[in-house]
Amino acid sequence: MDKKVTIVGAGMTGSTTAHWLADKEIADLVLVDVVDGMPQGKALDMQEAMPIIGKDVTITGTNDYGPTAGSDIIVITAGLPRKPGMSRDDLLAANTAIVSKVAEETIKLSPDAIYIVLTNPLDVMTYLTWKKTGIPANRVIGQAGVLDSARMRAFVAMELGVSVENINCYVLGGHGDSMVPLTRHSNVAGVPLNKTMSKERLDAIVDRTRKGGGEIVSLLKQGSAFYAPAAGVAQMAEAILKDKQLIVPAAVYMQGEYGLKDIYFGAAAQLGANGVEKIIEYELNDDELAELQKSAQGVAKNIAALGL
Ligand code: TXD
């Protein structure tokens, strides 16, 4: 393949991202991890699955960065996941050290790469990656909104018994409990969401969406969600590699949208060969805007704590 995607952190989300991407047959894959033998073992196992699913993808596992050289996309999932009872912000200190190193090492060998960050706390780690790589902000994107919106879409589909393909939901804001599901802009085959169910049911879906990550963490008891987050990364990587100009909610660098500046934050972003090609700004009412700004304050506080 003439495209290469590197995934740093070959744990649950990293290896599952490789799995979804291999199935799309759009790039060769490199899995990097600090654990001796683990990325090599997972890569080889996945490589051996390729004849079965009929995909000509080369998957390499490594503990050093050499094989990552010339990557088109670098996905960062390296870091600690949440344990039950932890918030995403509790991961800040440990993951700052890990993500800084990963960003600094990878950019040396792949100066033209576009970064997709997954490590939590997501908005802050995306900002950190942008700073540590020193590349233009359009080439650093955080994955959260695709996942949060997909959770909401899944819950709406379960409620209404309608195909997930008919359901459009948009969750903006920081990737935390203050995220902002935009119910007014969400719809089922064009019908506004609030016309499809009672306010009570819709409120319950909004609440479940906000707590969606925690629901999985408490069920799994160790680690956090991985199938859906990884599917989100794979969709974003595909949009970039194929220059699809696909609009998805993602953590992007805000330059005045919704009155926000100098933070990475969840907004609708058009993804193409240059990474973030455009940010789409919705018309929000005063309540929606206030919720977004409140969410932004939490992210800004953590970004300030990085002391960059
Ligand atoms: O939507 C989202 N953004 C998220 C984010 C959804 C799910 C998980 N989210 C976060 O991603 C989670 O809170 C964590 O911060 C990361 C990774 O979660 P994952 O579930 O994949 O964690 P694992 O299975 O522990 O994998 C992390 C791997 C593990 O194998 C470590 O050995 C490795 O990261 N690791 C490193 N790899 C390379 N280099 C360094 N320095 C390193 N340090 C740890």
Side-chain angles (χ1 to χ4, degrees):
M1 304 246 134
D2 64 342
K3 300 283 185 190
K4 189 195 279 191
V5 175
T6 283
I7 301 164
V8 187
M12 297 308 290
T13 56
S15 57
T16 312
T17 297
H19 185 187
W20 290 116
L21 279 175
D23 198 45
K24 291 180 185 284
E25 203 182 29
I26 45 176
D28 286 331
L29 305 171
V30 181
L31 281 170
V32 186
D33 205 287
V34 285
V35 180
D36 181 35
M38 184 269 265
Q40 293 86 343
K42 287 190 176 180
L44 181 59
D45 186 15
M46 222 176 292
Q47 189 72 71
E48 290 165 359
M50 293 304 107
I52 303 173
I53 65 168
K55 307 290 176 181
D56 289 305
V57 175
T58 301
I59 307 155
T60 308
T62 172
N63 299 120
D64 64 68
Y65 286 100
T68 72
S71 292
D72 298 280
I73 294 184
I74 310 259
V75 177
I76 302 183
T77 79
L80 306 182
R82 283 197 282 170
K83 297 200 177 83
M86 279 176 99
S87 80
R88 293 176 178 89
D89 292 350
D90 292 335
L91 302 169
L92 186 63
N95 287 351
T96 295
I98 294 172
V99 169
S100 296
K101 183 168 184 329
V102 171
E104 285 163 359
E105 292 295 329
T106 48
I107 193 66
K108 287 184 211 157
L109 297 172
S110 301
D112 298 324
I114 291 175
Y115 282 72
I116 303 176
V117 181
L118 201 77
T119 307
N120 272 323
L122 188 271
D123 307 271
V124 187
M125 291 300 117
T126 310
Y127 186 96
L128 179 68
T129 300
W130 170 57
K131 282 285 177 185
K132 292 291 173 182
T133 54
I135 59 180
N138 60 295
R139 284 175 39 209
V140 182
I141 315 160
Q143 188 299 122
V146 176
L147 168 68
D148 297 327
S149 304
R151 284 184 173 142
M152 186 167 169
R153 292 168 69 195
F155 301 148
V156 171
M158 288 177 206
E159 177 74 20
L160 299 177
V162 170
S163 167
V164 291
E165 291 190 78
N166 287 132
I167 299 169
N168 302 300
C169 292
Y170 303 97
V171 179
L172 307 191
H175 184 54
D177 296 344
S178 67
M179 67 181 74
V180 185
L182 288 183
T183 51
R184 244 172 18 99
H185 300 73
S186 301
N187 65 75
V188 180
V191 179
L193 211 46
N194 61 2
K195 303 271 187 229
T196 65
M197 66 183 87
S198 68
K199 180 174 182 311
E200 195 187 32
R201 293 306 303 152
L202 186 51
D203 287 349
I205 285 177
V206 165
D207 186 56
R208 191 173 179 195
T209 300
R210 286 209 174 100
K211 298 175 184 156
E215 184 179 1
I216 307 273
V217 169
S218 40
L219 286 168
L220 292 178
K221 296 183 187 71
Q222 45 178 316
S224 48
F226 52 97
Y227 290 115
V233 175
Q235 185 187 41
M236 292 166 70
E238 182 177 29
I240 293 163
L241 292 174
K242 292 186 177 169
D243 192 23
K244 277 174 77 90
Q245 306 296 327
L246 179 75
I247 299 170
V248 290
V252 291
Y253 188 65
M254 306 299 279
Q255 297 178 70
E257 296 83 3
Y258 307 112
L260 303 172
K261 274 197 175 143
D262 198 34
I263 60 168
Y264 265 87
F265 195 61
Q270 189 166 317
L271 303 185
N274 299 305
V276 180
E277 306 273 355
K278 196 173 166 187
I279 296 178
I280 287 87
E281 198 172 350
Y282 295 113
E283 270 183 34
L284 299 184
N285 62 30
D286 289 349
D287 289 348
E288 291 159 346
L289 201 54
E291 273 194 68
L292 261 196
Q293 284 167 346
K294 188 168 159 247
S295 174
Q297 280 168 13
V299 174
K301 195 173 128 243
N302 278 337
I303 286 177
L306 289 173
L308 292 172

